[in-house]
Amino acid sequence: MTELSGGPALPQERRVVTAIPGPKSRELMARKEAAVASGIGTVMPVFARRAGGGVLEDVDGNSFIDFGSGIAVTSVGNSAEAVVRRATQQLADYTHTCVMVTPYEPYVEVCEELARLTPGDHAKKSALFNSGAEAVE
């Protein structure tokens, strides 16, 4: 497995080594503006290279407090070793199969764990979706 460069290995420090945004981020922003629809806005004018703990490092080597960590990593941190290890293992098995066509055990296991964790002694069932839009469609 590739050694982690983010996650626990990333120094937990703020560091500014270029103007903000730096030259690599400016170059990537120009590419983004040329290739990505304008409806996809950006708050920070920098591009992430790696993240871990409470910091995010941009492509220019600047390190910031990570105030906008992705919702999927808020509870475990960016590049958490256990998550990377398990995701790598899963990717080696298969990357995706539609559970409605060919079910797979990890889907059932997650639903069972959610039922176990949900308060109450009533029957509980779950459905797993990729986004909020899928959940309401």
Side-chain angles (χ1 to χ4, degrees), residues 54-91:
V55 299
L56 179 138
E57 185 179 276
D58 75 1
V59 294
D60 293 292
N62 299 300
S63 182
F64 308 95
I65 296 172
D66 187 4
F67 286 118
S69 67
I71 192 168
V73 301
T74 299
S75 61
V76 296
N78 273 300
S79 298
E81 290 181 78
V83 174
V84 171
R85 187 172 42 258
R86 181 59 184 107
T88 300
Q89 178 185 351
Q90 179 59 52
L91 290 169

Side-chain angles (χ1 to χ4, degrees), residues 5-15 50 52 54-57 63:
S5 64
L10 190 62
Q12 298 298 294
E13 62 187 17
R14 289 183 315 162
R15 180 180 62 254
R50 59 189 185 158
V55 299
L56 179 138
E57 185 179 276
S63 182

